[in-house]
Amino acid sequence: MENNLLLSKFWMRIWALLIDSLILGLFGFILGLIFKNFFISFGESAKLIGWIISLFYFTILNSKLYKGGTLGKKVMKIQVTDIKGNFIDVKTSFIRSLVFTAPFFLNGFKIHGVSSFSFVTIIQGIIIFTIGLGIIVFYIFNKETRQSIHDIVAKTYVVQDFRNKEIGFMPKIRKLPFYITGAILLVTIGVSIYSLSSTSKISKLVPVYEDILKQENITNAAVNMNYIPITDDAGNKRFVYTVTVYVNKDLEITQNNINEQAKNPELLETVKTFINSNAYDTDNDILNVVVVSGYDIGIAKQYKSFNFYKPISEWKRIFGKSL
């Protein structure tokens, strides 16, 4: 197919993306200063705000309305065009931007009302993760047309903003990036199936995680387990259970006086949920509770965390009958 496109070089696109990321990050930082409490109250859904901003930025600026280039692309003197070198319309630019941004804003995003261990969530994670890595793979290995996945879907090319050389035919994409992305998909599916079918001890923590998510003001959580190489008097391993909870309000917690934290409902309910679950072996095991307050809008984030690390026996002594 005849054309006179001079394709952008690899590092020119990388530098353009970095510049755009800095611009969006600065804008998000300013928004965070103004709307901090509003973003915190949104919890996990605050990422959608940054996604909408990014979609608007890339869609409008990469279209013919701004002559095919974001601010980063303008600096690097590159543009987004079709195979004929024409600037793309807003609809095509939106599709391109949607495919490009979705993996980075939806990675780990939880659908309201759907369990994190449901079939729908697993499939969502597999698709988003594979597309995200696939975009990187095509960036690196598609040296023929320099198209990544979002370019292939939208049938676009990133070219230099001058046309002083001619390419008689656009070369075909080699199969290597497709093979690598396919392998990533298969590995991701395999890991997901193994995780779902695992009967290991950590599977006992799944109900704890789901119960914690039901608590008031909790927008997200994480529960994991490892063991420290120190045994108790009976020679048993001591496990450390780390429970991280994200709250949708600005917290002011002092770590110096843990006994006063019984008044904090998020901490109390998290400890209570874990201890009543009987997911641990003995009171000598460690429960590490991390309470996180802040926001993440995708293009900017600000968090502060409060860490409480104590043996379960100590938690029971502190909270006493509250448990």
Side-chain angles (χ1 to χ4, degrees):
M1 185 175 294
E2 294 186 2
N3 64 82
N4 64 341
L5 303 181
L6 185 59
L7 297 176
S8 167
K9 297 184 183 300
F10 175 83
W11 285 109
M12 294 176 74
R13 293 188 66 174
I14 296 298
W15 281 112
L17 180 58
L18 288 175
I19 293 171
D20 289 331
S21 298
L22 287 174
I23 292 171
L24 287 170
L26 178 61
F27 183 64
F29 174 76
I30 295 173
L31 288 179
L33 294 178
I34 302 172
F35 302 107
K36 176 182 176 181
N37 290 332
F38 175 73
F39 290 159
I40 292 176
S41 68
F42 255 60
E44 183 77 6
S45 299
K47 279 187 177 181
L48 297 178
I49 298 173
W51 191 19
I52 293 172
I53 293 172
S54 297
L55 274 175
F56 183 85
Y57 178 85
F58 287 110
T59 297
I60 299 301
L61 270 62
N62 279 328
S63 73
K64 62 183 179 182
L65 297 180
Y66 202 67
K67 296 185 178 180
T70 60
L71 298 179
K73 288 186 176 68
K74 295 293 185 185
V75 172
M76 300 310 299
K77 300 184 182 304
I78 58 179
Q79 301 169 321
V80 179
T81 70
D82 61 17
I83 186 65
K84 296 180 180 179
N86 299 320
F87 299 127
I88 60 177
D89 58 31
V90 174
K91 179 182 176 181
T92 302
S93 185
F94 174 76
I95 294 172
R96 183 181 186 274
S97 302
L98 185 67
V99 176
F100 174 65
T101 59
F104 304 101
F105 286 93
L106 295 183
N107 184 32
F109 188 82
K110 295 175 177 57
I111 303 174
H112 182 70
V114 178
S115 171
S116 297
F117 300 92
S118 68
F119 181 76
V120 172
T121 303
I122 298 299
I123 294 300
Q124 171 200 347
I126 290 173
I127 294 173
I128 294 299
F129 183 76
T130 302
I131 294 176
L133 282 184
I135 287 174
I136 298 173
V137 167
F138 273 83
Y139 258 136
I140 297 174
F141 293 100
N142 180 18
K143 299 179 180 179
E144 288 72 38
T145 66
R146 294 296 182 188
Q147 291 173 291
S148 191
I149 291 179
H150 52 296
D151 291 308
I152 294 173
V153 171
K155 297 180 181 179
T156 58
Y157 299 85
V158 179
V159 302
Q160 297 184 32
D161 66 0
F162 54 89
R163 314 281 199 269
N164 61 352
K165 294 183 180 180
E166 291 189 0
I167 300 177
F169 294 91
M170 184 64 69
K172 292 183 178 181
I173 304 174
R174 293 186 180 181
K175 296 181 179 180
L176 178 61
F178 291 99
Y179 290 152
I180 296 175
T181 304
I184 291 173
L185 175 61
L186 292 176
V187 170
T188 305
I189 292 174
V191 171
S192 300
I193 293 174
Y194 174 79
S195 299
L196 286 175
S197 61
S198 175
T199 57
S200 64
K201 183 179 177 65
I202 200 169
S203 63
K204 295 171 60 177
L205 300 178
V206 174
V208 179
Y209 166 81
E210 293 180 338
D211 287 342
I212 289 174
L213 279 183
K214 296 176 183 178
Q215 294 175 198
E216 187 177 0
N217 298 322
I218 301 298
T219 62
N220 202 355
V223 183
N224 58 65
M225 175 194 73
N226 57 17
Y227 71 89
I228 53 179
I230 300 176
T231 58
D232 58 21
D233 294 337
N236 299 315
K237 294 178 180 178
R238 297 181 66 187
F239 288 93
V240 177
Y241 299 89
T242 300
V243 181
T244 305
V245 292
Y246 296 81
V247 299
N248 61 357
K249 59 183 181 180
D250 195 9
L251 293 180
E252 294 296 337
I253 300 178
T254 58
Q255 295 181 252
N256 295 329
N257 298 312
I258 183 65
N259 292 286
E260 297 179 2
Q261 300 312 320
K263 298 178 182 179
N264 180 270
E266 289 77 29
L267 179 60
L268 172 60
E269 286 301 314
T270 298
V271 174
K272 182 179 179 180
T273 299
F274 180 84
I275 290 180
N276 291 340
S277 71
N278 294 318
Y280 57 95
D281 289 336
T282 71
D283 285 0
N284 290 325
D285 288 338
I286 306 295
L287 174 58
N288 180 33
V289 181
V290 183
V291 182
V292 182
S293 174
Y295 66 86
D296 180 0
I297 59 172
I299 57 176
K301 60 184 177 180
Q302 183 184 74
Y303 284 117
K304 55 184 176 182
S305 61
F306 308 91
N307 190 26
F308 305 100
Y309 183 96
K310 291 185 179 297
I312 292 175
S313 58
E314 184 67 10
W315 283 113
K316 290 181 176 181
R317 185 192 67 79
I318 292 172
F319 288 122
K321 294 182 180 180
S322 298
L323 301 175

